[in-house]
Amino acid sequence: MSIRNKLILGFSVLLAFIVLQGATSFFYGSRTYSLVDAAINRNFVASTEISELLASAQQLRRQEKDYLIYAGDVEGRNNVLQDWNGTHARLLAQLQAMISNSRGVYSAADSSEFNRWKAALDEYHEQFAHVTEGFSYDVQMLDQGQSSGSAVTYNKAVRANEELRKTVDRFNTDLIEGATRMAHARADESADAYRRIRGNFEVVDYLNAALALAGLILAAALLLTIPGSITRPLQSLIESADKMSLGDLGKKFDAGGVRDFEKLAASLERMRVTMEAMIVRLKARSR
């Protein structure tokens, strides 16, 4: 093999190791990027939106209870009703944004679940509006300061709570409990993605370390073999030439398998054979 081919082989093997290391890092990096996208872009955004939705739903329930508590206070009751309507509008906007899925963080199954939540919210809103309208009408005696208003208010508050029970149970089951389950599921997915991301980084670290070690071993092997395979035949030719210059024609010239030295070794060998033949003839004549 020629010196050029040996050098090409050595550099090609090293280049192959570099390409292999880069391809491995790129492959696991791409997988890790998709996991990061799922864990951060999809699950994190979804978990945040669901948590905010859940907080609004729970606030809506608290304001409903406050409304019945303030039954005997017209101003307090109206203030709570105003807050309830504001919270409902915010909750409805959050649900509609999640249904539209403009960020692409939810699946078709999620959208179906959101529609079920919205149906529960719409029913709750309709029933609560009916209760508040009837409640305000029935307790107007208390609002006008009549003495019997307290009992009327209490009885109406109890009836209003009973009227809302079925709707509130559906709201709790479908929306609040459903959002809680989905938030937990997203948190579990994020935790699983995080574990897989760490696993991928560990694999990349181990592979890079292994490939780096293998590359060092290969580089050391090539450093020991390629220069030696070139210098040994050259040193042999130099030693043979030195001996021939001193009159020792017994050592043959050998290229050592290096194609680039074969012509030089052949020329020197012919010279050695010719000189050896001349010396033999001279010795024969001197006798």
Side-chain angles (χ1 to χ4, degrees):
M1 182 181 293
S2 65
I3 297 174
R4 179 174 179 273
N5 289 340
K6 287 184 178 182
L7 293 175
I8 290 175
L9 175 62
F11 283 115
S12 297
V13 173
L14 287 176
L15 181 62
F17 262 82
I18 295 172
V19 171
L20 178 61
Q21 187 173 13
T24 302
S25 298
F26 176 79
F27 173 74
Y28 279 97
S30 299
R31 290 185 58 186
T32 304
Y33 176 80
S34 64
L35 289 171
V36 170
D37 180 68
I40 296 178
N41 181 40
R42 200 165 60 85
N43 287 334
F44 179 77
V45 171
S47 296
T48 302
E49 291 183 349
I50 294 169
S51 297
E52 291 175 351
L53 179 80
L54 186 58
S56 298
Q58 292 170 336
Q59 184 178 10
L60 199 67
R61 284 301 324 280
R62 288 193 298 271
Q63 290 168 342
E64 169 219 320
K65 296 175 183 178
D66 290 343
Y67 179 85
L68 298 179
I69 291 173
Y70 282 101
D73 182 350
V74 178
E75 183 179 357
R77 188 178 68 230
N78 290 337
N79 288 337
V80 172
L81 179 59
Q82 183 178 359
D83 293 339
W84 190 96
N85 288 330
T87 303
H88 169 265
R90 183 174 69 251
L91 180 58
L92 181 61
Q94 290 170 336
L95 258 178
Q96 289 173 338
M98 292 165 67
I99 291 172
S100 67
N101 195 21
S102 59
R103 299 188 184 185
V105 297
Y106 301 108
S107 65
D110 293 335
S111 298
S112 177
E113 185 74 2
F114 298 154
N115 285 317
R116 194 164 67 91
W117 296 355
K118 184 177 181 300
L121 176 63
D122 291 341
E123 182 182 337
Y124 180 33
H125 174 259
E126 182 180 353
Q127 186 64 25
F128 187 71
H130 174 73
V131 166
T132 55
E133 289 174 4
F135 189 88
S136 298
Y137 176 78
D138 288 345
V139 299
Q140 61 182 335
M141 290 184 297
L142 176 66
D143 296 342
Q144 295 169 1
Q146 298 184 18
S147 58
S148 61
S150 179
V152 173
T153 301
Y154 175 78
N155 292 333
K156 183 57 182 178
V158 172
R159 290 197 303 272
N161 189 63
E162 290 298 322
E163 288 178 25
L164 287 170
R165 184 181 300 278
K166 183 178 180 180
T167 302
V168 165
D169 287 344
R170 181 188 176 188
F171 181 80
N172 289 340
T173 301
D174 289 359
L175 199 156
I176 294 180
E177 293 180 8
T180 301
R181 287 193 300 270
M182 187 175 290
H184 289 164
R186 291 289 182 162
D188 292 341
E189 288 180 15
S190 295
D192 179 65
Y194 174 73
R195 287 191 294 269
R196 292 169 63 189
I197 289 169
R198 285 196 60 183
N200 279 358
F201 278 125
E202 288 176 358
V203 170
V204 171
D205 289 340
Y206 290 142
L207 283 175
N208 284 338
L211 289 174
L213 179 61
L216 289 174
I217 294 174
L218 177 63
L222 293 175
L223 186 62
L224 292 174
T225 56
I226 291 181
S229 66
I230 297 171
T231 57
R232 279 193 299 270
L234 182 60
Q235 186 64 32
S236 176
L237 290 175
I238 293 173
E239 290 177 0
S240 298
D242 285 341
K243 289 183 178 182
M244 185 175 67
S245 67
L246 296 174
D248 184 0
L249 303 178
K251 184 174 176 58
K252 294 183 178 181
F253 289 92
D254 183 12
V258 180
R259 189 178 304 167
D260 302 84
F261 297 155
E262 287 179 353
K263 290 184 178 180
L264 175 60
S267 298
L268 292 174
E269 181 62 17
R270 286 194 298 270
M271 184 186 298
R272 184 189 70 81
V273 171
T274 302
M275 291 181 66
E276 189 177 28
M278 290 176 60
I279 291 174
V280 169
R281 287 197 298 268
L282 289 174
K283 286 180 179 181
R285 288 179 183 178
S286 64
R287 292 175 184 174

